[in-house]
């Protein structure tokens, strides 16, 4: 089999070659290679053209003015942290590289994994706009809580009729509550005891539902951003009243947030960037409670046994938002937080 490669000298036609398609067929003057005079006719002009052509490279490459720079590692990572408790540039660079690789690998098709529900009549997860049901779903509640049966129109009409009949019946008895209303300081205590009473064992707690690939493959970028907005809302409610709130951040939530962030591309809208910043700020506020000292930190230590979110998970979420979406000014907020916080040793 003849080789397909040709030498550079063979790429140019010789004057002795037989005329053919793509070959030089016009006569060319036979002049020495060092000819430097002005061409006197067309024959000499073609000679100078062909001599100049042979001196040029066969392939020429120019820089693409529209080429996208390789941003696998942000230049801002090279800056030294202004506080020793902040993540180091080396750690941030490794984390950014691994996160991008994780996102690329996750977007690849996977065999032997079924992502579509086996039954079209069964819901795999709540709808995008069902925020309360999503909290029950992520918390590992049974399907009866996050996928309640829809009431028919007849049952709704019957319920309204019963309510009307009950209100229309006069009574001489003074209404009483089934329990004494708790004081604001007893809300968390009452909630905890009621949960323990509803379980077979006081030590048994509901385990959060994990972000399995079979679930994440059903979530597109828009839905991922919607769920991240829910997490920002839940964490904000928790920070308003930590001990009385039902929205305690856990390690399971951190894994969901990390997985949902991997579903989001680098280019998002300004509103979505604002939402991601709110989520990072909420994690920063939670991190402040974890690093601080006092009764609040002791309360968090007690909940650490129950899968409470850890400091490392907060830093991972914050670093992802900062370095992947270029929100480097949030490090100044983190620095101020650390300066105002007495780190718990």
């Amino acid at each position: 089999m003849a080789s397909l490669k040709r030498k550079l000298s063979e790429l140019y036609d010789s004057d002795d070659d037989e005329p053919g398609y793509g070959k030089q067929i016009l006569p060319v003057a036979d002049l020495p290679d060092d000819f430097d005079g002005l061409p006197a006719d067309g024959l000499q002009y073609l000679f100078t053209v062909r001599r100049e052509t042979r001196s040029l490279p066969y392939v020429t490459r120019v820089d693409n003015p529209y080429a996208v720079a390789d941003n696998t590692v942000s230049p801002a990572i090279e800056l030294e942290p202004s506080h020793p408790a902040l993540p180091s540039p080396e750690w941030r660079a490794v984390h950014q590289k691994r996160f991008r690789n994780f996102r690329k690998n996750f977007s690849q098709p996977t065999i032997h994994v079924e992502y579509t529900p086996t039954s079209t009549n069964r819901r795999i997860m709540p709808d995008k706009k069902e925020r309360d049901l999503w909290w029950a779903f992520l918390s590992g509640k049974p399907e009866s809580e996050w996928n309640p049966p829809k009431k028919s129109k007849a049952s709704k009409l019957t319920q309204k009729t019963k309510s009307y009949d009950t209100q229309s019946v006069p009574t001489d008895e003074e209404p009483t509550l089934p329990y004494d209303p708790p004081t604001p300081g007893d809300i968390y205590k009452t909630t905890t005891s009621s949960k323990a009473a509803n379980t077979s064992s006081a030590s048994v707690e509901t385990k959060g539902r994990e972000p399995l690939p079979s679930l994440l493959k059903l979530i597109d970028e828009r839905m991922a951003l919607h769920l991240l907005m829910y997490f920002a809302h839940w964490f904000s409610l928790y920070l308003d009243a930590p001990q009385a709130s039902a929205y305690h951040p856990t390690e399971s939530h951190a894994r969901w947030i990390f997985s949902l962030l991997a579903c989001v591309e680098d280019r998002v809208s300004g509103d979505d960037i604002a939402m991601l910043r709110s989520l990072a700020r909420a994690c920063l506020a939670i991190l402040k409670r974890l690093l601080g000292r006092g009764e609040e930190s002791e309360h968090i230590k007690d909940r650490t046994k129950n899968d409470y979110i850890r400091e490392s998970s907060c830093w991972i979420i914050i670093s992802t938002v900062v370095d992947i979406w270029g929100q480097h000014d949030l490090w100044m907020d983190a620095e101020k937080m650390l300066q105002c916080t007495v780190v718990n040793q």
Side-chain angles (χ1 to χ4, degrees):
M1 180 177 179
S3 176
L4 298 178
K5 296 183 179 179
R6 300 178 61 187
K7 296 181 180 180
L8 183 62
S9 60
E10 297 177 355
L11 297 175
Y12 302 101
D13 302 326
S14 173
D15 295 340
D16 299 331
D17 291 343
E18 293 293 333
Y21 180 76
K23 295 181 178 295
Q24 180 67 45
I25 60 176
L26 295 178
V28 180
D30 187 10
L31 298 175
D33 291 338
D34 57 352
F35 174 76
D36 58 355
L38 294 176
D41 51 22
L43 300 180
Q44 294 183 3
Y45 174 75
L46 289 178
F47 170 81
T48 58
V49 170
R50 299 194 67 185
R51 183 181 60 181
E52 183 179 358
T53 301
R54 286 193 295 268
S55 65
L56 297 176
Y58 179 63
V59 178
T60 303
R61 182 184 182 277
V62 296
D63 294 333
N64 182 7
Y66 303 100
V68 179
D70 186 8
N71 295 325
T72 54
V73 177
S74 174
I77 293 182
E78 300 176 0
L79 300 177
E80 290 294 332
S82 54
H83 195 282
L86 287 173
S88 65
E90 294 78 13
W91 180 89
R92 291 171 55 194
V94 172
H95 167 65
Q96 183 180 162
K97 181 179 180 180
R98 291 180 177 178
F99 178 83
R100 293 184 183 276
N101 291 336
F102 171 77
R103 185 166 59 181
K104 291 179 181 179
N105 293 335
F106 179 75
S107 62
Q108 298 297 324
T110 307
I111 61 174
H112 306 308
V113 178
E114 186 177 357
Y115 300 127
T116 57
T118 55
S119 175
T120 57
N121 297 327
R122 182 183 177 184
R123 296 178 65 186
I124 302 299
M125 61 182 66
D127 293 336
K128 182 173 65 174
K129 296 184 178 181
E130 297 176 331
R131 186 174 61 191
D132 295 337
L133 298 185
W134 265 106
W135 178 261
F137 177 82
L138 296 174
S139 301
K141 302 296 183 180
E143 186 176 355
S144 59
E145 294 192 29
W146 62 264
N147 186 22
K150 295 183 179 181
K151 298 181 179 179
S152 61
K153 294 183 179 180
S155 61
K156 291 182 179 180
L157 181 60
T158 303
Q159 184 177 4
K160 290 182 178 180
T161 304
K162 291 182 178 180
S163 177
Y164 176 77
D165 293 340
T166 303
Q167 294 177 1
S168 61
V169 175
T171 177
D172 296 331
E173 297 180 359
E174 182 179 357
T176 58
L177 295 175
Y179 62 92
D180 294 332
T183 60
D186 295 335
I187 292 179
Y188 177 75
K189 188 184 300 183
T190 304
T191 305
T192 306
S193 60
S194 62
K195 287 184 177 180
N198 292 332
T199 56
S200 58
S201 174
S203 60
V204 176
E205 291 193 2
T206 305
K207 186 178 181 181
R209 186 171 275 101
E210 294 298 324
L212 301 177
S214 57
L215 296 175
L216 294 174
K217 285 297 182 179
L218 301 176
I219 299 176
D220 57 9
E221 184 182 24
R222 294 311 309 168
M223 189 172 185
L225 288 168
H226 210 80
L227 296 179
L228 290 171
M229 178 183 65
Y230 286 167
F231 275 109
H233 171 75
W234 292 327
F235 288 178
S236 177
L237 294 179
Y238 164 75
L239 292 169
D240 290 340
Q243 295 187 5
S245 177
Y247 303 103
H248 292 90
T250 66
E251 277 292 285
S252 176
H253 296 153
R255 289 188 286 270
W256 268 99
I257 293 174
F258 181 84
S259 302
L260 293 173
L261 289 174
C263 299
V264 181
E265 298 296 333
D266 289 349
R267 298 179 181 272
V268 294
S269 66
D271 293 338
D272 294 331
I273 287 292
M275 180 273 298
L276 293 176
R277 289 174 62 88
S278 299
L279 177 62
R281 290 181 186 276
C283 291
L284 194 59
I286 295 173
L287 184 63
K288 181 179 180 180
R289 292 174 51 81
L290 289 169
L291 295 175
R293 294 178 178 176
E295 295 181 359
E296 290 186 356
S297 61
E298 294 299 328
H299 164 66
I300 293 177
K301 284 182 179 179
D302 294 338
R303 295 196 58 84
T304 304
K305 303 176 182 179
N306 300 330
D307 200 34
Y308 193 90
I309 193 170
R310 298 185 178 91
E311 299 174 16
S312 57
S313 299
C314 292
W315 281 125
I316 288 175
I317 296 173
I318 296 170
S319 300
T320 303
V321 174
V322 169
D323 293 329
I324 298 299
W325 287 278
Q327 306 302 305
H328 303 290
D329 63 294
L330 291 177
W331 286 128
M332 293 186 293
D333 297 340
E335 179 185 1
K336 293 179 181 178
M337 180 273 294
L338 292 172
Q339 291 176 351
C340 298
T341 304
V342 180
V343 179
N344 194 5
Q345 301 295 336

